[in-house]
Amino acid sequence: MSYRRLDIPLPSPAPGVSLNLVAHQFGNRSNGRSAYLHAGLHADEHPGLLVLQHLLEQLQQLDAAGAIDGFVTIVPYANPIGMSQRLFGPIAGRFDFDNGENFNRNFRLLDERVAAHIANARDGKMTPGEWKALFADSLAQIVATSPAQVMKRELARLAIEHDIVLDLHCDTDCVPHVYASELQRQRATELAEIMGAPVALIEPRDAGGGAFDQVHSSGWGTVQAAGLLSENESGFSATIELRGQADVSDELASRDASNLLRFLSREGVLTAEVPTAADFAAGPVAVFPLDGASHVQCPVAGVIVYYKAPGDPVSAGEVIAEVVRLDGGTFNERVRILSDVDGLMIVRQLHKLVRPGQRAALLAGERPVRDRNRGSLLLDF
Ligand SMILES: [Zn+2]
């Protein structure tokens, strides 16, 4: 047994209110490889919260059996600030009420600090452990005051000492998919396959946005791009979009937890062989570039009706949905929404009353989409 619990206090946002993060750790950090997982950074995305409870239960059993060779850290809820943001009932957990910032943006990335170190070092040969120490030192220097700033810094510091970092999200209504750096295409594809995700979206190193997983990939990616470590020696981080916001069940969560353990086993964090669930069948993974991801917008206000479901193939020019105008000149008047890519529908809206400019769907295609620019490939909605 090698379990410990960390309680990390965050600055109180108001007199009488306390906030904290919790981390559950299993194994021995000096022994083998390590993995970090958290969920709910977007606090209105709840499938991952249940997945991690199943995962913790399974890790406890593996720990008792002596089957954790490496080190695992689980943060079961990454955003207590967002989880407490209710607006007349529903949780509004994607953006910070304090300043409108997307909770999964503007993390401090490590490219510049690591590139400067490489440029100044006479000998760039460092072990993975020494690189981790450099990353951790860089993050420790971040000045943070507000509860959200401190929360983001502490999440990044907890994660950065691990080889594998997995950030569990979901989208509105979607098939499982994985976001990861182009330098880790192979492992991203393997992770997607193990998770039963039919799609992996591969980000260029200059995707922009400052998402949580980019803290890890910016550090390791800079080292890897300089030719100082191979793809396998580098750390690996990914964002896993588990499914849609409404897809929360014990059945799905138990299966997802087992699949995550299979990935950790494959990465050498666990010694145990984790069997595939009887009802689980991995299919092929389609890999698309992030700049080929098209956010198709609704043209008018009304009720959206879809002709395609997440996972369906789409062709350029094909009608994927219609918006039914409620205030048109004729009854049941519709405005068509066309695909602008040859590829797959990944995401569609859960709530069907839409406004002009709202995302109708996320489609993935092979070719770069017009108006998608490096440096701002991650949108904020
Ligand atoms: Zn999210």
Side-chain angles (χ1 to χ4, degrees):
M1 292 284 284
S2 57
Y3 167 78
R4 75 169 176 154
R5 170 186 167 126
L6 303 178
D7 286 275
I8 301 160
L10 302 177
S12 169
V17 179
S18 63
L19 294 169
N20 75 318
L21 293 170
V22 172
H24 303 286
Q25 298 188 313
F26 301 86
N28 182 346
R29 58 162 51 79
S30 62
N31 178 20
R33 291 168 57 72
S34 57
Y36 168 99
L37 295 93
H38 78 199
L41 181 55
H42 285 143
D44 52 355
E45 300 174 2
H46 303 151
L49 300 175
L50 186 61
V51 169
L52 290 187
Q53 290 304 309
H54 282 265
L55 187 65
L56 283 164
E57 203 175 21
Q58 295 191 42
L59 282 169
Q60 191 174 44
Q61 291 166 8
L62 290 168
D63 190 33
I68 300 176
D69 193 36
F71 184 61
V72 185
T73 297
I74 306 290
V75 173
Y77 56 91
N79 186 355
I81 299 168
M83 286 201 297
S84 63
Q85 291 187 163
R86 284 180 185 269
L87 190 65
F88 308 124
I91 294 170
R94 185 173 185 84
F95 298 96
D96 189 343
F97 277 0
D98 214 26
N99 57 9
E101 186 175 77
N102 184 323
F103 281 113
N104 192 25
R105 297 291 183 274
N106 302 328
F107 279 81
R108 179 79 64 84
L109 303 187
L110 298 170
D111 317 55
E112 287 182 17
R113 172 83 199 277
V114 175
H117 177 88
I118 292 170
N120 292 332
R122 261 178 279 166
D123 179 3
K125 286 285 173 202
M126 283 171 41
T127 66
E130 288 168 332
W131 286 116
K132 284 183 195 170
L134 179 79
F135 304 158
D137 180 56
S138 185
L139 295 177
Q141 293 173 24
I142 294 174
V143 177
T145 313
S146 74
Q149 286 171 344
V150 174
M151 180 181 84
K152 290 165 88 171
R153 182 188 65 193
E154 294 308 306
L155 290 171
R157 289 181 65 193
L158 267 173
I160 203 69
E161 69 168 301
H162 299 78
D163 299 298
I164 311 292
V165 170
L166 301 177
D167 185 6
L168 305 187
H169 286 249
C170 71
D171 212 308
T172 46
D173 177 17
C174 68
V175 283
H177 55 292
V178 167
Y179 289 90
S181 163
E182 62 186 357
L183 291 176
Q184 291 284 338
R185 186 186 180 100
Q186 172 94 21
R187 276 151 118 187
T189 309
E190 286 166 2
L191 173 64
E193 189 175 353
I194 284 175
M195 294 303 294
V199 179
L201 290 166
I202 299 300
E203 301 175 21
R205 288 187 56 225
D206 56 355
F212 169 78
D213 66 340
Q214 292 174 339
V215 178
H216 196 259
S217 63
S218 66
W220 289 108
T222 306
V223 177
Q224 195 184 325
L228 299 173
L229 289 176
S230 69
E231 183 173 342
N232 281 336
E233 290 168 320
S234 283
F236 170 67
S237 62
T239 293
I240 305 175
E241 304 282 348
L242 286 165
R243 284 174 205 83
Q245 281 175 304
D247 298 320
V248 182
S249 73
D250 273 332
E251 190 184 359
L252 291 171
S254 170
R255 204 168 67 191
D256 288 339
S258 292
N259 288 338
L260 287 166
L261 287 175
R262 289 172 54 220
F263 183 70
L264 299 190
S265 179
R266 188 206 155 282
E267 285 285 336
V269 179
L270 310 175
T271 51
E273 279 289 321
V274 182
T276 309
D279 60 346
F280 178 76
V285 178
V287 180
F288 293 98
L290 187 59
D291 54 10
S294 173
H295 296 261
V296 182
Q297 297 188 345
C298 299
V300 295
V303 173
I304 192 165
V305 178
Y306 287 98
Y307 299 115
K308 296 286 179 181
D312 282 351
V314 294
S315 315
E318 188 176 14
V319 179
I320 58 168
E322 290 178 337
V323 179
V324 184
R325 300 185 78 141
L326 309 182
D327 53 358
T330 57
F331 299 137
N332 207 2
E333 181 183 327
R334 291 162 183 245
V335 180
R336 299 189 305 172
I337 301 177
L338 308 180
S339 170
D340 57 355
V341 305
D342 293 315
L344 290 177
M345 177 182 275
I346 309 299
V347 179
R348 66 182 183 181
Q349 286 295 340
L350 176 62
H351 301 290
K352 305 301 191 292
L353 183 65
V354 297
R355 64 160 171 80
Q358 185 175 346
R359 181 179 67 167
L362 172 63
L363 310 176
E366 289 290 347
R367 288 192 218 102
V369 174
R370 199 159 46 91
D371 298 332
R372 299 276 281 141
N373 300 315
R374 295 288 177 98
S376 58
L377 287 178
L378 297 181
L379 304 189
D380 257 344
F381 53 87

